[in-house]
Short mmCIF file of all heavy atoms in Angstrom, two decimals:
data_model
loop_
_atom_site.label_atom_id
_atom_site.label_comp_id
_atom_site.label_asym_id
_atom_site.label_seq_id
_atom_site.Cartn_x
_atom_site.Cartn_y
_atom_site.Cartn_z
N GLY K 891 -65.66 -14.80 -138.31
CA GLY K 891 -64.24 -14.46 -138.40
C GLY K 891 -63.46 -15.61 -139.14
O GLY K 891 -62.28 -15.36 -139.54
N ARG K 892 -64.05 -16.79 -139.26
CA ARG K 892 -63.31 -17.90 -139.79
C ARG K 892 -63.97 -18.30 -141.18
O ARG K 892 -63.24 -18.71 -142.15
CB ARG K 892 -63.31 -19.15 -138.99
CG ARG K 892 -62.60 -18.87 -137.60
CD ARG K 892 -62.42 -20.22 -136.91
NE ARG K 892 -63.71 -20.82 -136.53
CZ ARG K 892 -64.17 -21.96 -136.98
NH1 ARG K 892 -63.36 -22.74 -137.80
NH2 ARG K 892 -65.30 -22.44 -136.64
N PHE K 893 -65.30 -18.14 -141.27
CA PHE K 893 -66.01 -18.49 -142.53
C PHE K 893 -66.56 -17.27 -143.15
O PHE K 893 -66.83 -16.23 -142.56
CB PHE K 893 -67.24 -19.37 -142.22
CG PHE K 893 -66.88 -20.79 -141.69
CD1 PHE K 893 -65.66 -21.14 -141.41
CD2 PHE K 893 -67.92 -21.62 -141.57
CE1 PHE K 893 -65.39 -22.41 -140.99
CE2 PHE K 893 -67.63 -22.99 -141.15
CZ PHE K 893 -66.38 -23.31 -140.81
N THR K 894 -66.55 -17.28 -144.52
CA THR K 894 -67.01 -16.20 -145.32
C THR K 894 -68.00 -16.66 -146.35
O THR K 894 -67.60 -17.54 -147.16
CB THR K 894 -65.86 -15.38 -145.98
OG1 THR K 894 -64.98 -14.97 -145.05
CG2 THR K 894 -66.48 -14.23 -146.70
N ILE K 895 -69.17 -16.18 -146.40
CA ILE K 895 -70.13 -16.45 -147.39
C ILE K 895 -70.12 -15.46 -148.52
O ILE K 895 -70.09 -14.32 -148.25
CB ILE K 895 -71.61 -16.74 -146.80
CG1 ILE K 895 -72.52 -17.28 -147.84
CG2 ILE K 895 -72.10 -15.39 -146.22
CD1 ILE K 895 -73.85 -17.73 -147.23
N SER K 896 -70.25 -15.89 -149.77
CA SER K 896 -70.28 -15.02 -150.88
C SER K 896 -71.13 -15.67 -151.97
O SER K 896 -71.42 -16.82 -151.91
CB SER K 896 -68.90 -14.66 -151.33
OG SER K 896 -68.19 -15.78 -151.82
N ARG K 897 -71.41 -14.88 -152.96
CA ARG K 897 -72.19 -15.43 -154.10
C ARG K 897 -71.82 -14.78 -155.42
O ARG K 897 -71.35 -13.67 -155.47
CB ARG K 897 -73.66 -15.40 -153.85
CG ARG K 897 -74.25 -13.92 -153.79
CD ARG K 897 -75.64 -13.96 -153.23
NE ARG K 897 -76.60 -14.74 -154.08
CZ ARG K 897 -77.75 -15.16 -153.67
NH1 ARG K 897 -78.26 -14.79 -152.41
NH2 ARG K 897 -78.60 -15.88 -154.44
N ASP K 898 -72.10 -15.50 -156.48
CA ASP K 898 -71.84 -15.05 -157.83
C ASP K 898 -73.20 -15.40 -158.49
O ASP K 898 -73.46 -16.45 -159.02
CB ASP K 898 -70.75 -15.70 -158.54
CG ASP K 898 -70.47 -15.24 -159.90
OD1 ASP K 898 -71.37 -14.59 -160.50
OD2 ASP K 898 -69.33 -15.52 -160.45
N ASN K 899 -74.06 -14.31 -158.63
CA ASN K 899 -75.40 -14.63 -159.16
C ASN K 899 -75.44 -14.94 -160.68
O ASN K 899 -76.21 -15.53 -161.18
CB ASN K 899 -76.23 -13.35 -158.90
CG ASN K 899 -76.70 -13.27 -157.48
OD1 ASN K 899 -76.55 -14.22 -156.68
ND2 ASN K 899 -77.20 -12.09 -157.13
N ALA K 900 -74.33 -14.35 -161.41
CA ALA K 900 -74.30 -14.71 -162.75
C ALA K 900 -74.04 -16.23 -162.98
O ALA K 900 -74.49 -16.78 -164.03
CB ALA K 900 -73.11 -13.92 -163.42
N GLN K 901 -73.41 -16.82 -162.07
CA GLN K 901 -73.10 -18.22 -162.07
C GLN K 901 -74.04 -19.12 -161.31
O GLN K 901 -73.96 -20.29 -161.23
CB GLN K 901 -71.67 -18.59 -161.58
CG GLN K 901 -70.57 -17.90 -162.48
CD GLN K 901 -70.58 -18.59 -163.88
OE1 GLN K 901 -70.70 -19.80 -163.99
NE2 GLN K 901 -70.34 -17.71 -164.85
N ARG K 902 -75.01 -18.34 -160.62
CA ARG K 902 -75.92 -18.95 -159.70
C ARG K 902 -75.34 -19.85 -158.70
O ARG K 902 -75.78 -21.00 -158.38
CB ARG K 902 -77.01 -19.75 -160.54
CG ARG K 902 -77.76 -18.93 -161.57
CD ARG K 902 -78.93 -19.70 -162.12
NE ARG K 902 -80.00 -19.85 -161.15
CZ ARG K 902 -81.07 -20.55 -161.26
NH1 ARG K 902 -81.28 -21.21 -162.49
NH2 ARG K 902 -81.99 -20.68 -160.36
N THR K 903 -74.16 -19.42 -158.10
CA THR K 903 -73.41 -20.21 -157.23
C THR K 903 -73.13 -19.42 -155.94
O THR K 903 -72.73 -18.20 -156.00
CB THR K 903 -72.06 -20.63 -157.81
OG1 THR K 903 -72.42 -21.42 -159.03
CG2 THR K 903 -71.29 -21.59 -156.83
N THR K 904 -73.24 -20.02 -154.81
CA THR K 904 -72.96 -19.40 -153.49
C THR K 904 -71.83 -20.20 -152.88
O THR K 904 -71.78 -21.43 -152.93
CB THR K 904 -74.15 -19.44 -152.58
OG1 THR K 904 -75.24 -18.73 -153.18
CG2 THR K 904 -73.85 -18.81 -151.28
N TYR K 905 -70.87 -19.54 -152.26
CA TYR K 905 -69.70 -20.11 -151.78
C TYR K 905 -69.66 -19.94 -150.17
O TYR K 905 -70.14 -18.98 -149.65
CB TYR K 905 -68.47 -19.45 -152.30
CG TYR K 905 -68.39 -19.53 -153.80
CD1 TYR K 905 -68.80 -18.44 -154.59
CD2 TYR K 905 -67.97 -20.72 -154.51
CE1 TYR K 905 -68.77 -18.48 -155.96
CE2 TYR K 905 -67.94 -20.75 -155.89
CZ TYR K 905 -68.38 -19.62 -156.58
OH TYR K 905 -68.29 -19.67 -157.95
N LEU K 906 -68.98 -20.89 -149.61
CA LEU K 906 -68.65 -20.79 -148.16
C LEU K 906 -67.23 -21.10 -147.99
O LEU K 906 -66.73 -22.22 -148.09
CB LEU K 906 -69.49 -21.75 -147.32
CG LEU K 906 -69.29 -21.68 -145.87
CD1 LEU K 906 -69.83 -20.31 -145.32
CD2 LEU K 906 -69.93 -22.85 -145.05
N GLN K 907 -66.40 -19.96 -147.81
CA GLN K 907 -64.94 -20.13 -147.63
C GLN K 907 -64.70 -20.45 -146.10
O GLN K 907 -65.14 -19.71 -145.24
CB GLN K 907 -64.27 -18.82 -148.00
CG GLN K 907 -62.75 -18.85 -147.77
CD GLN K 907 -62.04 -19.90 -148.59
OE1 GLN K 907 -62.28 -20.02 -149.81
NE2 GLN K 907 -61.02 -20.62 -148.01
N MET K 908 -64.13 -21.51 -145.80
CA MET K 908 -63.87 -21.97 -144.47
C MET K 908 -62.37 -21.95 -144.20
O MET K 908 -61.64 -22.76 -144.78
CB MET K 908 -64.53 -23.29 -144.23
CG MET K 908 -66.03 -23.42 -144.53
SD MET K 908 -66.78 -24.96 -144.04
CE MET K 908 -65.86 -26.05 -145.30
N ASP K 909 -62.01 -21.09 -143.29
CA ASP K 909 -60.55 -21.02 -142.89
C ASP K 909 -60.40 -21.38 -141.38
O ASP K 909 -61.45 -21.35 -140.69
CB ASP K 909 -60.05 -19.58 -143.14
CG ASP K 909 -60.06 -19.19 -144.55
OD1 ASP K 909 -59.74 -20.04 -145.38
OD2 ASP K 909 -60.39 -17.97 -144.78
N SER K 910 -59.20 -21.75 -141.03
CA SER K 910 -58.89 -22.05 -139.62
C SER K 910 -59.87 -23.06 -139.12
O SER K 910 -60.48 -23.03 -138.11
CB SER K 910 -58.94 -20.78 -138.78
OG SER K 910 -58.03 -19.83 -139.14
N LEU K 911 -60.03 -24.18 -139.88
CA LEU K 911 -60.97 -25.15 -139.60
C LEU K 911 -60.64 -25.93 -138.32
O LEU K 911 -59.42 -26.11 -138.01
CB LEU K 911 -61.14 -26.20 -140.73
CG LEU K 911 -61.96 -25.67 -141.90
CD1 LEU K 911 -61.73 -26.49 -143.15
CD2 LEU K 911 -63.40 -25.68 -141.54
N LYS K 912 -61.63 -26.34 -137.54
CA LYS K 912 -61.50 -27.03 -136.33
C LYS K 912 -62.19 -28.34 -136.39
O LYS K 912 -63.14 -28.54 -137.22
CB LYS K 912 -62.05 -26.17 -135.20
CG LYS K 912 -61.54 -24.80 -135.01
CD LYS K 912 -62.25 -24.08 -133.98
CE LYS K 912 -61.73 -22.66 -133.75
NZ LYS K 912 -62.56 -21.87 -132.74
N PRO K 913 -61.76 -29.31 -135.66
CA PRO K 913 -62.50 -30.62 -135.56
C PRO K 913 -63.95 -30.50 -135.34
O PRO K 913 -64.78 -31.27 -135.89
CB PRO K 913 -61.73 -31.41 -134.44
CG PRO K 913 -60.40 -30.90 -134.52
CD PRO K 913 -60.65 -29.41 -134.76
N GLU K 914 -64.35 -29.45 -134.57
CA GLU K 914 -65.81 -29.18 -134.32
C GLU K 914 -66.57 -28.75 -135.47
O GLU K 914 -67.81 -28.82 -135.43
CB GLU K 914 -65.89 -28.15 -133.16
CG GLU K 914 -65.09 -28.42 -131.98
CD GLU K 914 -63.67 -27.77 -132.00
OE1 GLU K 914 -63.58 -26.58 -131.83
OE2 GLU K 914 -62.74 -28.56 -132.35
N ASP K 915 -65.96 -28.44 -136.60
CA ASP K 915 -66.53 -28.01 -137.86
C ASP K 915 -66.96 -29.30 -138.60
O ASP K 915 -67.65 -29.09 -139.64
CB ASP K 915 -65.66 -27.09 -138.66
CG ASP K 915 -65.40 -25.78 -138.03
OD1 ASP K 915 -66.30 -25.29 -137.35
OD2 ASP K 915 -64.26 -25.37 -138.04
N THR K 916 -66.52 -30.41 -138.24
CA THR K 916 -66.86 -31.66 -138.89
C THR K 916 -68.36 -31.92 -139.04
O THR K 916 -68.98 -31.89 -137.92
CB THR K 916 -66.20 -32.86 -138.30
OG1 THR K 916 -64.73 -32.74 -138.40
CG2 THR K 916 -66.63 -34.16 -138.92
N ALA K 917 -68.89 -32.02 -140.19
CA ALA K 917 -70.39 -32.12 -140.27
C ALA K 917 -70.70 -32.31 -141.77
O ALA K 917 -69.84 -32.09 -142.66
CB ALA K 917 -71.15 -30.94 -139.72
N VAL K 918 -71.96 -32.59 -142.05
CA VAL K 918 -72.51 -32.58 -143.40
C VAL K 918 -72.96 -31.12 -143.56
O VAL K 918 -73.81 -30.61 -142.76
CB VAL K 918 -73.61 -33.55 -143.65
CG1 VAL K 918 -74.17 -33.33 -145.01
CG2 VAL K 918 -73.09 -34.98 -143.46
N TYR K 919 -72.56 -30.45 -144.60
CA TYR K 919 -73.01 -29.09 -144.82
C TYR K 919 -73.95 -29.03 -146.02
O TYR K 919 -73.81 -29.55 -147.03
CB TYR K 919 -71.74 -28.23 -145.27
CG TYR K 919 -70.87 -27.89 -144.08
CD1 TYR K 919 -70.13 -28.81 -143.44
CD2 TYR K 919 -70.84 -26.61 -143.55
CE1 TYR K 919 -69.37 -28.49 -142.34
CE2 TYR K 919 -70.07 -26.18 -142.43
CZ TYR K 919 -69.29 -27.21 -141.86
OH TYR K 919 -68.53 -26.83 -140.75
N TYR K 920 -75.04 -28.33 -145.74
CA TYR K 920 -76.14 -28.13 -146.65
C TYR K 920 -76.28 -26.65 -147.08
O TYR K 920 -76.18 -25.80 -146.20
CB TYR K 920 -77.48 -28.61 -146.03
CG TYR K 920 -77.53 -30.11 -145.54
CD1 TYR K 920 -77.07 -30.39 -144.31
CD2 TYR K 920 -77.94 -31.08 -146.38
CE1 TYR K 920 -77.13 -31.72 -143.90
CE2 TYR K 920 -77.96 -32.41 -145.98
CZ TYR K 920 -77.56 -32.78 -144.80
OH TYR K 920 -77.57 -34.00 -144.36
N CYS K 921 -76.69 -26.41 -148.23
CA CYS K 921 -77.08 -25.07 -148.60
C CYS K 921 -78.60 -25.13 -148.87
O CYS K 921 -79.17 -26.13 -149.18
CB CYS K 921 -76.36 -24.60 -149.88
SG CYS K 921 -76.66 -25.42 -151.41
#
């Protein structure tokens, strides 16, 4: 409900849209 994953294969790129971020989301993010 807060994060949305999407991708653009033509660009070979995947996205993670993060909304309503909380302090608990603090971390190193890996794909």
Side-chain angles (χ1 to χ4, degrees):
R892 299 188 299 118
F893 290 10
T894 303
I895 187 170
S896 62
R897 67 191 299 167
D898 183 344
N899 289 344
Q901 297 294 321
R902 301 192 70 186
T903 302
T904 302
Y905 305 96
L906 184 66
Q907 177 67 42
M908 305 184 294
D909 298 320
S910 301
L911 283 163
K912 305 175 180 179
E914 307 89 81
D915 296 319
T916 296
V918 176
Y919 283 71
Y920 301 88
C921 67

